[in-house]
């Protein structure tokens, strides 16, 4: 099946300079991405055509500030854009959510790097920031060795990040009090890493989330950063800023599944009784409850983001309840979305397992993304521990990286 093309315009699309324009373009991409979903899944990465469509629509520049040539979407608008794209294709939305982190990382890097090397608003980044690699200090920078999983979008990224523990003279450097070591994140061009074809999964197959590795790679000092030391101040110069728009993916998939089943119900009847689905009690209850649960989850996500924005704008440190607000809404979005699609899958029954029904792919996508660390019980433990004055097992999720 050929990947459908975006409508021909005879010219390169101009970059969107407002949130409204970018969100409009995202809506136009929904049917294009939906039609491309089988090809995306089969390729186990985003095909070049799809990457160009996302780039031409300005998707990867969503978080670039206006003074840097971008549309400057805030966290709630970014989440909405990702949610819109997820109604079209889960993997495309996931890669958009990951790939737009460039301006967030730029706030922790020297101004010269942010301006000269990451200055293109459409620059795409990928990679894992957790310290699974080793960086040995050498004159002018580091020698980096390691292997990192989950490089979502790495097959089309311009730059790659890789978290490392720092060593000096063969010994680990101590980190801040309570930290297992000195954690720094390395930035290098994609071609400087070896990308491994490891992404053989049941869900999110098209995200191309492959492993990647480096052996004795030199990374200049100015291409490394710590999430605890932003160069600038502001609402996005916090460690958890890269997590805020994540719930847009599960929310968008759940919305797509509900819309699909509601359309299906318009022409379906109960085989045993001949009663139309629109008049069938169990179908009515299932759809009503799913809509209720999705609405509550969405309000929690967007409400928490708006409250967080107000706190950050005030310049004060969040109170414990305020700090866990977005965290709990994020975890809940993943859980609720999978529950909704599971129930709809069961409602449609055997028809859900046959192509071209998208329900099977949506369920697999949600099951896979639900395994992400950010949707696990460890995050709930961290939130509860923070509220009780205990020790969070994942302080990063709360923005507490020293």
């Amino acid at each position: 099946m050929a990947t459908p093309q975006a409508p021909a315009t005879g010219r390169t699309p101009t970059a969107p300079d407002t949130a409204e324009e970018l969100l409009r373009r995202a809506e136009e991409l929904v049917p294009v991405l939906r039609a491309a979903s089988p090809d995306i899944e089969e390729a186990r990465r985003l095909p070049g055509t799809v990457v160009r469509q996302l780039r031409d629509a300005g998707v990867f520049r969503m978080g670039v500030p206006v003074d840097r040539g971008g549309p400057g979407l805030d966290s709630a608008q970014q989440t909405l854009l990702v949610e819109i794209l997820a109604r079209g294709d889960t993997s495309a939305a996931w890669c958009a959510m990951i790939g737009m982190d460039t301006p967030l990382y730029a706030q922790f890097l020297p101004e010269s790097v942010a301006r000269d090397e990451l200055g293109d608003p459409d620059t795409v980044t990928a990679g894992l920031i957790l310290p699974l690699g080793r960086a040995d200090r050498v004159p002018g920078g580091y020698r980096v060795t390691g292997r990192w999983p989950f490089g979502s979008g790495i097959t089309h990224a311009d730059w790659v990040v890789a978290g490392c523990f720092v060593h000096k003279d063969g010994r680990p450097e101590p980190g801040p009090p309570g930290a297992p070591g000195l954690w720094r994140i390395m930035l290098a061009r994609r071609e400087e890493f070896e990308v491994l074809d490891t992404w053989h999964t049941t869900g999110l197959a098209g995200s191309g989330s492959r492993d990647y590795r480096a052996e004795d790679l030199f990374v200049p000092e100015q291409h490394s950063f710590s999430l605890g030391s932003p160069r600038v101040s502001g609402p996005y110069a916090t460690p958890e800023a890269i997590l805020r728009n994540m719930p847009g993916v599960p929310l968008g998939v759940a919305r797509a599944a509900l819309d699909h089943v509601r359309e299906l119900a318009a022409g379906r009847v109960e085989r045993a009784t001949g009663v139309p689905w629109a008049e069938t009690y169990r179908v009515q209850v299932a759809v009503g409850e799913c809509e209720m649960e999705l609405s509550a989850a969405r309000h929690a996500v967007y409400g928490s983001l708006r409250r967080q924005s107000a706190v950050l704008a005030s310049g004060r440190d969040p109170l414990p309840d305020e700090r866990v607000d977005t965290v709990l809404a994020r975890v809940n979005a993943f859980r609720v979305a999978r529950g909704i699609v599971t129930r709809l899958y069961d409602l449609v029954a055997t028809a859900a397992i046959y192509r071209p029904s998208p329900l099977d792919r949506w369920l697999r996508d949600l099951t896979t993304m639900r395994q992400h660390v950010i949707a696990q019980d460890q995050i709930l433990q961290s939130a509860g521990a923070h509220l009780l004055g205990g020790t969070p097992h994942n302080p990063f999720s709360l923005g507490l990286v020293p």
Side-chain angles (χ1 to χ4, degrees):
M1 179 187 297
T3 301
Q5 305 292 313
T9 61
R11 60 180 174 82
T12 300
T14 57
D17 56 5
T18 66
E20 292 74 19
E21 173 64 12
L22 184 47
L23 291 168
R24 183 188 67 77
R25 294 190 188 191
E27 284 283 358
E28 291 177 348
L29 277 178
V30 170
V32 177
L33 295 174
R34 180 74 61 84
S37 283
D39 288 348
I40 293 172
E41 182 171 48
E42 183 177 357
R44 294 187 297 110
R45 59 182 289 178
L46 294 191
T49 301
V50 173
V51 176
R52 286 192 296 274
Q53 289 165 346
L54 293 172
R55 195 185 297 270
D56 288 346
V59 164
F60 296 117
R61 62 171 56 205
M62 70 174 90
V64 177
V66 174
D67 61 5
R68 292 278 185 178
L73 273 65
D74 62 26
S75 296
Q77 291 168 327
Q78 292 174 27
T79 304
L80 178 58
L81 189 147
V82 171
E83 182 182 2
I84 291 169
L85 294 176
R87 288 170 24 221
D89 181 76
T90 316
S91 291
W94 189 268
C95 287
M97 176 266 295
I98 296 290
M100 61 73 56
D101 286 339
T102 307
L104 302 180
Y105 295 139
Q107 296 180 105
F108 297 87
L109 289 157
E111 169 62 24
S112 59
V113 176
R115 181 187 63 247
D116 300 334
E117 299 183 75
L118 303 181
D120 182 349
D122 298 309
T123 297
V124 177
T125 53
L128 186 72
I129 64 174
L130 297 180
L132 301 186
R134 170 172 173 157
D136 286 277
R137 285 193 187 271
V138 295
Y142 306 87
R143 288 288 176 181
V144 174
T145 297
R147 175 168 173 165
W148 299 263
F150 307 122
S152 300
I154 197 169
T155 54
H156 59 264
D158 303 300
W159 292 86
V160 174
V161 293
C164 295
F165 279 127
V166 176
H167 288 63
K168 184 177 182 180
D169 299 327
R171 299 175 63 86
E173 286 198 21
L182 182 60
W183 170 23
R184 287 188 72 79
I185 300 165
M186 307 292 150
L187 176 75
R189 294 190 180 276
R190 179 188 58 174
E191 54 267 25
E192 296 184 83
F193 292 94
E194 180 184 5
V195 179
L196 308 173
D197 189 5
T198 54
W199 192 242
H200 299 272
T201 60
T202 57
L204 274 181
S207 66
S209 304
R210 302 178 179 187
D211 287 17
Y212 57 104
R213 66 185 174 195
E215 182 72 33
D216 200 32
L217 170 65
F218 177 71
V219 176
E221 175 67 38
Q222 63 269 27
H223 282 184
S224 72
F225 63 98
S226 167
L227 288 173
S229 304
R231 171 177 51 83
V232 298
S233 60
Y236 304 104
T238 62
E240 49 69 57
I242 63 174
L243 307 177
R244 295 179 196 167
N245 58 15
M246 288 186 73
V249 184
L251 292 177
V253 176
R255 179 72 268 160
L258 260 166
D259 290 346
H260 172 75
V261 170
R262 287 172 60 176
E263 292 172 6
L264 189 67
R268 190 164 181 171
V269 298
E270 290 282 76
R271 184 173 300 176
T273 65
V275 176
W277 263 31
E279 297 297 337
T280 301
Y281 184 83
R282 69 180 184 90
V283 177
Q284 295 167 337
V285 171
V287 170
E289 286 191 343
C290 288
E291 288 286 0
M292 174 184 67
E293 292 170 5
L294 180 57
S295 177
R298 287 190 82 250
H299 279 287
V301 166
Y302 289 102
S304 69
L305 288 172
R306 286 191 292 270
R307 290 189 293 272
Q308 180 190 56
S309 178
V311 171
L312 293 173
S314 72
R316 64 174 175 81
D317 289 335
L319 300 172
D321 288 87
E322 293 170 333
R323 188 174 291 278
V324 305
D325 197 12
T326 56
V327 177
L328 297 177
R330 185 183 306 130
V331 175
N332 185 58
F334 281 89
R335 296 189 171 198
V336 167
R338 189 175 70 171
I340 288 172
V341 176
T342 299
R343 181 163 187 182
L344 295 175
Y345 190 91
D346 290 342
L347 179 69
V348 175
T350 54
I353 69 175
Y354 291 102
R355 295 179 180 179
S357 171
L359 279 169
D360 186 70
R361 182 173 59 250
W362 285 330
L363 181 58
R364 288 184 283 108
D365 287 343
L366 280 164
T367 298
T368 296
M369 76 175 77
R370 187 52 186 82
Q371 307 315 307
H372 194 286
V373 64
I374 216 65
Q376 295 293 301
D377 286 350
Q378 181 187 98
I379 308 303
L380 297 180
Q381 180 277 333
S382 297
H386 186 63
L387 292 174
L388 297 172
T391 302
H393 289 176
N394 193 318
F396 168 74
S397 65
L398 303 173
L400 295 173
V401 175

